[in-house]
Amino acid sequence: MRGTTFKWANTLHQVRALIPGCLLLSADCSGPQYFMAPAGPAAQGLASLGWFVMLLFIAVTLLVWGFLIWLACRRHGSLETHQPVETGGGLRWILIGGIAIPAAVFSVVFIAATEVVSHFPLEAGADSQVEIQVSGKLWWFKAEYDADGDRAAFSVATEIHIPTDRAVTIDLVSDNVIHSFWIPKLHGKVDLVPGRTNRIRLQADQPGVYSGQCAEFCGLQHANMRLSIVAEAPEDYNAWLQAQAEPAAGSENDGTENEETGGAGYGSEVVRRGAALFQDAACPGCHTIRGTPARGVLAPDLTHLASRRHIAGGMLPNNTANLSAWVTRPQSLKPGSMMPDSDEFTGVQLSALVAYLQSLE
Ligand code: CUA
């Protein structure tokens, strides 16, 4: 069915090859968030619609300029050399050019848009075994994965993994303000609205990291509310699920013992000290590290922090320098975020704490 639907779209894609689209749009055609380079069926429909609308409007623009040039060239001279022309009021031209033609053009665009949206992979019965709940926080995205068999439920921040080649159902929610979930190469913008659940299905045809961002102004750090969709082959995805569902490296599995260190079996003395510092500081009030006493739910789950590419809602690469800066001066890096500045660690303690965080693979 999709093949038929997008037949016209495929023709447009062939036309696209003949047009220097980058020049026309002044856009970065290879950019990570270029929506005209779709990587899944929903984005494919939107990109086709984008090309269709752009070509249609270019045609209209050329037509209008053609008329203007024709008018400019049609008559030369002044009123002395020409008799005044009887135009008959020109009402017919206004009705045709000002109402009938725009109405026809916008009707075509409306029908094309409706057609594209109606073929988003949302049909009942679509093959979708994967369900993820994504919540908009201030200012980061939280993704929750359900328990399955003996695999425990878990949540991650900012980096959402999905398997390739199958429709993934994502429920979008918010417990604060309105955000918008937008992965340009995979799906159009869909809002996360407090008090309701918006459901989308997205699919990635190829493995890769697809970046996105919040697309609804949601406060001070709206522009730094980013995320990545990591699409992996199903085997890799399943391995990731299993790894993420495990408790933190070096921790007690049940989290009831070793309150002092937050766990046992750490690889080095520095990491062990870092773990103890984490548990003694304010960190557990907001963060969870599964397998340790840290059970806070306000901030990202750090159980497998070291496996993520970014921290701070996708704003900073996950490395030693950024982790150290983020632990001590988040308000300089991301003013207004919920993470408070901290002066409670000496340099040596900070190194140990960061070493511990980097051990959480
Ligand atoms: Cu969340 Cu903008």
Side-chain angles (χ1 to χ4, degrees), residues 12 82 91 117 119 127 171 193 271 282 289 299 317 344:
L12 284 175
H82 291 288
L91 185 62
V117 173
H119 285 89
D127 181 27
D171 286 342
V193 182
V271 170
I289 296 182
E344 63 183 304

Side-chain angles (χ1 to χ4, degrees), residues 32 159 183 185 206-211 227-231 309-310:
E159 197 171 290
I183 315 288
K185 290 192 171 186
Q206 297 294 331
V209 180
Y210 302 98
S211 65
L227 78 155
S228 311
I229 297 274
V230 181
R309 291 165 174 77
H310 292 91

Side-chain angles (χ1 to χ4, degrees), residues 139 178-180 214-218 222 225:
W139 287 270
I178 299 175
H179 304 271
S180 180
C214 179
E216 176 80 39
F217 181 71
C218 56
H222 156 69
M225 185 167 171

Side-chain angles (χ1 to χ4, degrees), residues 263-285:
Y266 294 111
S268 79
E269 172 64 16
V270 175
V271 170
R272 194 193 62 74
R273 269 192 285 122
L277 282 164
F278 183 94
Q279 299 297 336
D280 288 343
C283 315

Side-chain angles (χ1 to χ4, degrees), residues 132-289:
I132 303 167
Q133 174 164 292
V134 172
S135 1
K137 302 290 180 184
L138 296 171
W139 287 270
W140 53 285
F141 287 98
K142 176 180 187 177
E144 291 168 84
Y145 292 75
D146 288 339
D148 184 20
D150 52 4
R151 194 188 76 222
F154 64 90
S155 81
V156 293
T158 301
E159 197 171 290
I160 303 172
H161 286 237
I162 62 170
T164 51
D165 273 334
R166 71 182 64 159
V168 176
T169 302
I170 299 186
D171 286 342
L172 300 167
V173 299
S174 170
D175 58 5
N176 43 85
V177 298
I178 299 175
H179 304 271
S180 180
F181 183 84
W182 189 33
I183 315 288
K185 290 192 171 186
L186 296 179
H187 205 285
K189 299 169 186 174
V190 180
D191 282 358
L192 301 94
V193 182
R196 62 166 292 153
T197 301
N198 284 334
R199 170 166 285 193
I200 61 170
R201 289 213 171 112
L202 61 75
Q203 181 174 328
D205 295 334
Q206 297 294 331
V209 180
Y210 302 98
S211 65
Q213 64 186 73
C214 179
E216 176 80 39
F217 181 71
C218 56
L220 208 52
Q221 291 298 333
H222 156 69
N224 288 322
M225 185 167 171
R226 306 177 57 81
L227 78 155
S228 311
I229 297 274
V230 181
E232 298 170 308
E235 337 48 286
D236 297 336
Y237 171 71
N238 286 330
W240 178 84
L241 283 179
Q242 293 300 338
Q244 293 290 317
E246 292 294 314
S251 66
E252 287 292 328
N253 284 6
D254 60 9
T256 54
E257 289 168 33
N258 286 288
E259 292 276 330
E260 192 185 324
T261 61
Y266 294 111
S268 79
E269 172 64 16
V270 175
V271 170
R272 194 193 62 74
R273 269 192 285 122
L277 282 164
F278 183 94
Q279 299 297 336
D280 288 343
C283 315
C286 295
H287 292 282
T288 287
I289 296 182

Side-chain angles (χ1 to χ4, degrees), residues 310-335:
H310 292 91
I311 59 168
M315 190 185 162
L316 304 169
N318 186 0
N319 59 36
T320 309
N322 286 335
L323 274 174
S324 307
W326 182 251
V327 166
T328 50
R329 286 293 176 270
Q331 293 302 314
S332 308
L333 297 163
K334 197 168 179 177

